[in-house]
Amino acid sequence: MNTEIETNEYQKISDDREYILLCYEEMLSRINEHETIKLLQLNKTSQNETIGYSVSDEKIVQALGIYFQLITLVEENAAIQYHRQLENQNGIAANRGSWGETFKIWIEQGLGEDKIIELLSSLNVMPVLTAHPTESKRIAIIELQRELYLLLVQKENSILSKTENNTIREKIINLLERWWRTGDTYLEKPDLASERDNIVYYLSKVFPLVLEKSDERLKESWIAMGFNPDKLTQPEHYPDFNFGSWVGGDRDGHPFVTPSFTRDTLLIHREKALDIIYKQLVNLATRLTLSGIKNPVPTALLEAVSKQAKILGASGEKALKRNPHEPWRQYVSLLVIKMENTIAEKFGESDSYYRSSTVLQEDLKFIRNILIEGGAQGIAEDILFPVERTVQCFGFHLAKLDIRQNSGYHEKVITQILEKSGFEKFDFHNWDEKTRVSFLTEELEKHTPLTNNTISYGLEADNVLDYFRVLRQHISLYGSEGIGSLIVSMTRSLSDLLVMYLLMRETQLLNTNLRVVPLLETIEDLEGGDKILEDFLNFPITKNRLKLMSNTQEVMVGYSDSNKDGGVLASKWHLHKAEESLCSIGEKHDIKIIFFHGRGGTISRGGGKYHRFMESMPINSVNGQIKLTTQGESIAQQFGNQLTATYNLEMLASGVARQTMKIYTSQKEELYPYETLDWLTDKSVDFYKNMVQHDDFIQFFSEATSIDLLEKSKIGSRPARRSGQRTLSDLRAIPWVFSWNLSRFTLTGWFGVGHALKELKENKVSKFEELKQHVDSWPFLRYMLIQIETNLILANSELMKVYSELVSDKDIKSNFLNMILTDYKEGIIHIEDLLGEPASVRRIGQIENLKRREKELEVLHKLHIQYLKEWRSVMVTNPIEGDQILTKLLSITNSLSGGLKNTG
């Protein structure tokens, strides 16, 4: 049955692709772009056949850039229809990872409704949006694509007349012309404000709608699985979705994130949240039209209306006169006035405005109970429930803004403060760990601050102290809801975290509930993370602050630097083991560890389907709460379309719920071949480091990829390197992955694995077979192998050879290319062996997706290489001409990124 549905999906993609391309061609024909149309017919040619076209390079890039995005829209629509058809034919539990499937599993395990609701209400899921240099799409284009998607959905209505279908087609053609004439991406490097606007757009325009749809999916699944509908009606029973952002708070290597920018970002978040809630309350007041003449009015409601109107004075009395016989409506109208006072910051009597969203939640719960007691349960669920959920999940803050800075930067800060304060030994950055911890411990026992607001301590110190003071000021005015975690990137020791305590003491933040969070990024840090966490949890201030954090400790783990550090296998395996060991430390101290996963869009940087990702994690590492980043292009891919966004939120929340329940229902855990994975990892790391630490590697990397171009990129506000040094260690992980993927090596997602598996099979054949036996029973192993295989599918050995021709030294080119191609082939052979079937049988969808783009991608790769050569030849001698070529190159990069879908 599923095979038939999958066949229908492929046919739908084919039909819709043909339809949308005919519309695209018609649009181009109408504006006399007849030669450009030939570019859209590449897929109609045979393997060796070519089409001649006389089109400027700029139009080639533009035409194919739009083509790729149209194909993605078609695939999204087909995927949604596939899930619907699967559900209609096989039931709501048929979709992998869905709430329906999760409920089915729990029913089979004998779990009761009350236990399930207890779990659902304990869930806290937080997607955190970050801006990174793989997303350059303008908001205008995002809106336009949504409009186009809705037209594609509309045309599927089988009862439309021929005239109505023609009208839709005309609208699509006109919309495509608007897209063609608009321009797809930023022509200039977007500044921080542009990136913030983009993130705020999703937080304020997309997620409130998606939250409502997501809740509906949960309720529909609950009912469809035969559970009591009346048991899942209260907002408190639903998973708590919070949202986070890094734009305006992440200052690691980002000099443009100033204290004032952080202050403004927090205020913008608050302004947007208040506006969303205000509009929903106004809408609620408009719709809550129960008549006091036709319905009995509870005394408690009349008393509440009278009391609140009296507090609000003239404005309250005016509101009552508008709807004299509608006390339910009057009550909500009074809440609207309180919100108006809150927005205008008319802080008079305490009950005339809202100090926090918690108070509004209590007011809404009151009217909910009044409605339920009066028998209007359906009305409460229909029009009040969504408002309550908005307040519950977005509060008055919209999203929590995390604050991140590098531990090395903090070392400079303390050195500057000590020097300015007259300490004889002030070179904190040169102290050993024992000396640092001793000093910080002694200093934190004192009550007298080191710093003075009137003194300048140095550039770095002033910057950090100022943004900490911004946080203090915001908390004083509005509370701490809008501020997330204080994250220390490159946490390598206890002192890196104690420094945060010292800075918090200096700015009166120690008694707040702001979390100090270690970020473990490199393989070495992941291996030593349990020791750092143990020492931190034993520190007296941490023990005292745990009650402010509900006895939880957040730990962030990074997927990017560990990959760059030791390759994909080492990264994934060390992350898995680190999560296990960190959980053990938490259990020892009787606290919950909340993991914050710093995932990127690509597999190399932790990307992948949410439910598969959750399943692969150690059981005890998911305990009802999770944070994870969504970066760059992934934001638009996962959340740009409302239905796709709803699907992804369902997969995420359901995955967290299912993995959390395993803590309570897990049987005896199976023993997995950890020693074999350790052995494989060691072999892959040695092979990986043999390449990246070779004296000639930087030259090969710099010339065979477009890393030099990405360092000049206009598609992100952040510098490509943390400190500007031209070393591999200083290079950010995103351009590291992006550059390899653009050149179709994709080796950050597979290099070293083929060699390690070959060694295992040749030298420890029984261990290889043991690994093979665990592929189906060990979710982590299967997930990792499939992810690595995906990168091997995306790689293109012929294009690797073409890009390698850019390397000036032929010996260097030959040595590295041979090493890479050999490992590539070994990876394909041995993963196929482990998984039992070739990818061509198991991964039809993935391979077909690439086939729909490959000929068009080859055109862009050819241009990419051509302009890279030209740019490199003139960028020093003729910088003006170099900048002109650079603009073309960046445009090509954007189109390639859209075609490959996951590049950074």
Side-chain angles (χ1 to χ4, degrees):
M1 182 69 75
N2 287 3
T3 303
E4 180 185 339
I5 297 172
E6 287 171 2
T7 302
N8 292 342
E9 181 191 12
Y10 300 142
Q11 187 59 50
K12 177 168 178 55
I13 291 173
S14 178
D15 293 344
D16 286 357
R17 176 183 174 277
E18 183 177 359
Y19 175 86
I20 197 69
L21 289 184
L22 286 173
C23 291
Y24 191 12
E25 289 175 12
E26 176 62 23
M27 180 277 289
L28 290 172
S29 176
R30 290 181 187 183
I31 62 173
N32 297 317
E33 292 287 350
H34 301 290
E35 284 293 307
T36 307
I37 293 172
K38 295 178 181 179
L39 283 168
L40 307 181
Q41 298 169 345
L42 292 173
N43 254 291
K44 298 175 183 177
T45 61
S46 61
Q47 183 70 30
N48 298 315
E49 187 182 353
T50 58
I51 291 181
Y53 47 83
S54 177
V55 183
S56 70
D57 293 343
E58 288 82 359
K59 285 185 180 176
I60 291 174
V61 173
Q62 181 182 8
L64 294 183
I66 292 175
Y67 167 84
F68 292 136
Q69 292 177 73
L70 290 175
I71 297 303
T72 298
L73 280 175
V74 164
E75 289 166 349
E76 277 187 13
N77 187 34
I80 289 165
Q81 297 302 330
Y82 168 79
H83 293 306
R84 282 176 173 162
Q85 193 175 356
L86 192 63
E87 187 175 303
N88 288 338
Q89 291 194 15
N90 300 342
I92 201 159
N95 274 309
R96 187 76 175 82
S98 65
W99 280 120
E101 186 191 48
T102 298
F103 291 154
K104 181 174 182 288
I105 290 170
W106 289 346
I107 289 170
E108 291 169 352
Q109 291 174 343
L111 294 173
E113 293 176 355
D114 292 339
K115 180 63 178 177
I116 294 173
I117 286 194
E118 180 188 341
L119 174 70
L120 291 177
S121 61
S122 72
L123 299 180
N124 186 294
V125 181
M126 184 186 293
V128 179
L129 307 188
T130 72
H132 275 297
T134 56
E135 176 55 64
S136 59
K137 199 177 294 179
R138 299 163 59 188
I139 291 173
I141 296 299
I142 295 170
E143 291 277 20
L144 191 148
Q145 288 178 348
R146 180 172 290 110
E147 194 178 339
L148 176 57
Y149 177 83
L150 292 174
L151 287 170
L152 288 174
V153 172
Q154 192 179 337
K155 89 171 184 64
E156 291 176 359
N157 189 337
S158 59
I159 64 171
L160 291 176
S161 67
K162 185 178 289 187
T163 304
E164 288 170 321
N165 273 313
N166 288 338
T167 300
I168 291 172
R169 181 174 180 273
E170 280 301 307
K171 286 183 177 179
I172 289 174
I173 291 168
N174 292 332
L175 190 148
L176 287 170
E177 182 178 352
R178 186 149 47 95
W179 187 349
W180 180 267
R181 296 182 185 277
T182 297
D184 206 29
T185 55
Y186 294 107
L187 295 177
E188 297 301 324
K189 187 180 180 77
D191 58 13
L192 262 174
S194 300
E195 291 182 338
R196 179 174 62 196
D197 289 346
N198 189 283
I199 297 298
V200 168
Y201 168 83
Y202 282 97
L203 292 169
S204 61
K205 302 292 186 185
V206 176
F207 283 120
L209 297 174
V210 171
L211 174 67
E212 186 172 350
K213 294 290 184 187
S214 179
D215 287 344
E216 288 172 2
R217 279 291 298 169
L218 175 54
K219 184 64 180 285
E220 289 162 2
S221 301
W222 177 267
I223 295 170
M225 292 308 296
F227 294 139
N228 183 350
D230 295 334
K231 284 194 173 182
L232 194 65
T233 58
Q234 311 301 315
E236 298 86 357
H237 293 159
Y238 282 67
D240 192 5
F241 281 104
N242 295 137
F243 299 91
S245 173
W246 273 19
V247 180
D250 180 15
R251 48 212 349 113
D252 179 9
H254 207 323
F256 310 118
V257 183
T258 61
S260 61
F261 193 87
T262 297
R263 178 199 64 215
D264 293 346
T265 301
L266 288 167
L267 292 176
I268 288 169
H269 284 183
R270 177 177 169 83
E271 176 189 325
K272 294 291 184 183
L274 291 174
D275 182 61
I276 291 166
I277 293 170
Y278 174 75
K279 287 176 179 175
Q280 288 196 9
L281 284 174
V282 169
N283 183 52
L284 177 62
T286 303
R287 299 172 70 193
L288 197 58
T289 55
L290 281 71
S291 167
I293 297 172
K294 294 191 173 185
N295 299 276
V297 182
T299 303
L301 177 60
L302 292 173
E303 290 175 351
V305 169
S306 175
K307 180 182 176 182
Q308 191 61 62
K310 186 176 180 181
I311 291 169
L312 293 172
S315 58
E317 290 302 318
K318 185 178 178 181
L320 296 189
K321 290 176 182 177
R322 280 200 298 269
N323 312 107
H325 301 297
E326 298 174 340
W328 295 267
R329 195 175 191 179
Q330 287 176 330
Y331 179 84
V332 177
S333 295
L334 294 173
L335 304 191
V336 169
I337 295 171
K338 286 181 73 172
M339 278 301 296
E340 289 172 345
N341 291 340
T342 306
I343 292 168
E345 300 198 347
K346 292 181 180 178
F347 300 153
E349 285 191 51
S350 60
D351 287 340
S352 67
Y353 68 96
Y354 285 111
R355 291 182 180 272
S356 74
S357 61
T358 305
V359 182
L360 175 56
Q361 280 181 265
E362 292 169 359
D363 285 349
L364 292 171
K365 186 174 183 179
F366 171 81
I367 195 66
R368 184 217 307 167
N369 290 335
I370 291 290
L371 287 167
I372 292 171
E373 288 166 11
Q377 169 82 36
I379 293 174
E381 286 187 53
D382 181 33
I383 64 175
L384 177 59
F385 177 90
V387 183
E388 290 193 82
R389 283 288 282 163
T390 297
V391 178
Q392 178 185 339
C393 296
F394 293 94
F396 289 173
H397 60 281
L398 189 67
K400 289 184 177 293
L401 185 69
D402 282 335
I403 308 296
R404 183 175 76 135
Q405 184 52 280
N406 193 288
S407 60
Y409 193 94
H410 288 150
E411 290 174 1
K412 293 180 184 178
V413 169
I414 301 301
T415 296
Q416 290 172 357
I417 290 173
L418 295 182
E419 182 177 14
K420 194 73 173 183
S421 300
F423 281 73
E424 184 177 337
K425 294 181 179 178
F426 57 80
D427 56 340
F428 182 85
H429 59 284
N430 289 325
W431 295 359
D432 60 33
E433 176 65 7
K434 184 179 179 180
T435 305
R436 290 185 183 192
V437 171
S438 176
F439 165 77
L440 290 166
T441 303
E442 183 179 340
E443 188 58 44
L444 285 165
E445 289 173 351
K446 300 175 184 176
H447 298 292
T448 307
L450 273 173
T451 57
N452 186 314
N453 286 359
T454 64
I455 296 175
S456 172
Y457 291 90
L459 180 65
E460 287 82 4
D462 289 349
N463 180 277
V464 170
L465 290 169
D466 283 348
Y467 76 71
F468 269 59
R469 289 168 186 146
V470 162
L471 302 184
R472 174 72 263 177
Q473 183 183 31
H474 187 86
I475 291 171
S476 298
L477 290 171
Y478 310 115
S480 61
E481 269 189 317
I483 303 168
S485 306
L486 305 178
I487 301 166
V488 183
S489 55
M490 291 298 173
T491 298
R492 290 175 173 165
S493 61
L494 172 63
S495 65
D496 292 334
L497 303 175
L498 299 188
V499 162
M500 295 298 285
Y501 281 163
L502 182 61
L503 294 169
M504 291 171 76
R505 186 199 70 179
E506 295 302 301
T507 49
Q508 296 83 52
L509 287 171
L510 260 187
N511 292 326
T512 67
N513 63 351
L514 298 189
R515 298 178 182 275
V516 174
V517 174
L519 168 48
L520 308 172
E521 299 180 80
T522 66
I523 287 175
E524 183 181 354
D525 297 339
L526 289 168
E527 289 179 323
D530 53 352
K531 172 71 165 59
I532 296 171
L533 183 62
E534 175 83 47
D535 292 343
F536 186 55
L537 293 178
N538 280 324
F539 197 75
I541 291 177
T542 305
K543 289 181 177 180
N544 292 334
R545 296 187 84 244
L546 276 173
K547 60 181 177 291
L548 297 172
M549 260 63 72
S550 304
N551 216 41
T552 62
Q553 174 62 48
E554 184 178 316
V555 178
M556 185 172 183
V557 288
Y559 289 70
S560 305
D561 283 282
S562 57
N563 178 287
K564 183 161 68 80
D565 200 26
V568 65
L569 179 57
S571 171
K572 292 186 180 299
W573 183 229
H574 279 97
L575 279 160
H576 191 82
K577 292 201 297 181
E579 287 161 24
E580 290 184 329
S581 62
L582 291 165
C583 284
S584 296
I585 298 298
E587 289 171 6
K588 176 182 173 182
H589 289 265
D590 196 27
I591 67 165
K592 275 188 178 181
I593 302 298
I594 301 171
F595 282 105
F596 182 6
H597 297 272
R599 303 166 80 230
T602 57
I603 287 167
S604 311
R605 301 181 50 244
K609 292 182 178 179
Y610 283 133
H611 58 290
R612 304 277 190 191
F613 172 70
M614 299 307 308
E615 284 175 354
S616 73
M617 296 176 67
I619 287 178
N620 292 336
S621 67
V622 184
N623 48 33
Q625 300 188 63
I626 198 167
K627 282 176 70 175
L628 67 177
T629 55
T630 301
Q631 301 181 350
E633 67 199 7
S634 298
I635 298 173
Q637 288 173 5
Q638 293 179 17
F639 303 115
N641 176 306
Q642 191 177 124
L643 293 177
T644 303
T646 302
Y647 170 82
N648 281 315
L649 272 193
E650 178 181 358
M651 294 299 112
L652 176 56
S654 174
V656 172
R658 192 184 304 187
Q659 202 71 359
T660 300
M661 189 64 88
K662 287 181 182 177
I663 297 174
Y664 309 105
T665 61
S666 60
Q667 297 79 30
K668 185 177 179 182
E669 193 166 344
E670 188 175 344
L671 294 176
Y672 297 124
Y674 274 42
E675 289 184 5
T676 302
L677 258 293
D678 285 335
W679 190 92
L680 272 175
T681 297
D682 290 342
K683 291 294 180 184
S684 71
V685 168
D686 289 344
F687 191 70
Y688 175 85
K689 290 192 172 181
N690 184 49
M691 179 178 76
V692 299
Q693 293 177 357
H694 192 285
D695 291 342
D696 296 326
F697 174 73
I698 291 294
Q699 182 178 344
F700 180 83
F701 170 54
S702 299
E703 295 181 1
T705 76
S706 55
I707 183 60
D708 48 350
L709 163 70
L710 296 179
E711 290 176 334
K712 303 280 186 183
S713 173
K714 295 178 182 177
I715 50 176
S717 68
R718 179 191 300 274
R721 295 181 183 272
R722 284 189 166 92
S723 65
Q725 300 174 26
R726 194 163 180 78
T727 63
L728 190 59
S729 60
D730 193 60
L731 180 69
R732 291 188 178 279
I734 296 163
W736 164 251
V737 175
F738 200 4
S739 57
W740 285 116
N741 287 3
L742 284 172
S743 300
R744 299 298 292 279
F745 286 88
T746 71
L747 59 75
T748 58
W750 54 262
F751 189 77
V753 176
H755 170 79
L757 288 174
K758 177 175 179 287
E759 289 283 308
L760 182 68
K761 188 167 185 180
E762 290 179 353
N763 298 304
K764 294 177 178 284
V765 65
S766 63
K767 294 296 183 183
F768 187 91
E769 290 304 314
E770 180 188 29
L771 207 61
K772 194 171 182 178
Q773 290 168 11
H774 280 86
V775 163
D776 290 327
S777 62
W778 191 5
F780 166 77
L781 177 62
R782 185 168 187 83
Y783 178 70
M784 180 177 68
L785 290 174
I786 287 175
Q787 284 205 311
I788 292 167
E789 182 183 61
T790 299
N791 272 311
L792 288 166
I793 292 170
L794 289 171
N796 184 311
S797 58
E798 292 306 311
L799 283 169
M800 290 185 213
K801 296 172 187 175
V802 177
Y803 274 96
S804 294
E805 290 299 322
L806 292 169
V807 180
S808 54
D809 188 304
K810 299 309 171 188
D811 289 336
I812 292 175
K813 179 204 79 171
S814 178
N815 290 339
F816 283 100
L817 182 61
N818 288 339
M819 186 190 306
I820 291 167
L821 287 175
T822 299
D823 194 57
Y824 168 72
K825 291 169 186 172
E826 295 291 351
I828 292 172
I829 291 168
H830 294 297
I831 288 178
E832 178 182 310
D833 190 351
L834 286 172
L835 294 175
E837 287 181 315
S840 58
V841 175
R842 291 177 291 99
R843 308 297 300 277
I844 296 172
Q846 177 79 31
I847 292 168
E848 287 298 315
N849 280 355
L850 194 55
K851 278 183 180 177
R852 283 190 283 272
R853 296 167 171 81
E854 197 64 89
K855 286 192 175 182
E856 290 78 10
L857 282 168
E858 286 173 6
V859 172
L860 290 179
H861 282 302
K862 183 178 177 181
L863 282 178
H864 191 226
I865 291 167
Q866 172 192 326
Y867 280 111
L868 266 177
K869 288 178 181 176
E870 291 182 21
W871 178 62
R872 287 170 177 172
S873 70
V874 302
M875 63 180 179
V876 175
T877 58
N878 191 342
I880 294 175
E881 184 182 353
D883 282 346
Q884 292 171 346
I885 298 172
L886 177 64
T887 299
K888 294 178 181 179
L889 265 172
L890 293 173
S891 183
I892 294 168
T893 299
N894 284 323
S895 288
L896 274 173
S897 179
L900 294 168
K901 294 175 75 171
N902 285 317
T903 45

